[in-house]
Amino acid sequence: MAAELRLVRELGHLSIPAGMTVEREALYLKITYLPTDGMWQGQRLSFSLKCPPSYPIDPPRLVSSLPAPFHPCISPVNGAVCLNILRLDWMPVLGVQAILLGLEGLFHLDPLLLSDLDDVLNREAAELLNSDPIAYARRVNSV
């Protein structure tokens, strides 16, 4: 009950990034993102954010609908999304606003930020982005 109250309160004060919509059902959020620029411009990306009953003490789980976008931080197997703020950097003071901004940031990639290939969920995407950003962009747009 406390988790749902916190979520409702957060949603009432959100500043949703451009191109994003958020729909709530209990402790579950459906997020749709239509990037307005960059490699993913024109694509419709869908995610679900599931808050545990212990939210905000424990972080929510963010997953992409399948097939998942070709992205170093999104698992092609199960759609899991890797955001540091949902793992090691989670703090109860963070919330949906920070998660939406983190999600938006994932789609404005800088190859220099992916130098640690041990901390990605899609190694093929990370290696291609680092070695040949133009081929990576073509692959993103072919999906």
Side-chain angles (χ1 to χ4, degrees):
M1 184 71 157
E4 192 166 354
L5 291 173
R6 160 82 184 249
L7 194 56
V8 168
R9 187 174 64 235
E10 283 185 51
L11 293 176
H13 296 89
L14 276 184
S15 177
I16 299 174
M20 252 186 225
T21 60
V22 178
E23 299 172 29
R24 182 186 77 85
E25 184 176 317
L27 291 174
Y28 168 84
L29 299 180
K30 178 182 176 188
I31 302 165
T32 303
Y33 183 35
L34 299 147
T36 56
D37 60 5
M39 287 183 252
W40 285 272
Q41 183 176 1
Q43 294 188 34
R44 182 183 183 90
L45 307 168
S46 297
F47 301 89
S48 62
L49 184 73
K50 174 71 172 142
C51 296
S54 56
Y55 177 78
I57 302 302
D58 295 314
R61 178 168 159 74
L62 181 64
V63 297
S64 168
S65 60
L66 295 176
F70 186 68
H71 192 289
C73 299
I74 301 176
S75 169
V77 176
N78 62 14
V81 177
C82 178
L83 279 177
N84 282 344
I85 63 169
L86 294 176
R87 300 179 330 162
L88 299 175
D89 295 338
W90 178 255
M91 296 180 292
V93 71
L94 296 173
V96 175
Q97 184 71 60
I99 295 166
L100 294 180
L101 292 173
L103 182 60
E104 179 186 39
L106 283 182
F107 294 95
H108 294 87
L109 286 174
D110 180 347
L112 298 175
L113 298 176
L114 291 173
S115 59
D116 183 8
L117 292 178
D118 292 329
D119 194 30
V120 297
L121 296 176
N122 185 335
R123 182 176 291 278
E124 177 188 4
E127 289 173 351
L128 185 58
L129 178 62
N130 280 328
S131 67
D132 191 347
I134 293 169
Y136 177 82
R138 280 194 303 265
R139 174 84 183 264
V140 163
N141 290 304
S142 71
V143 176

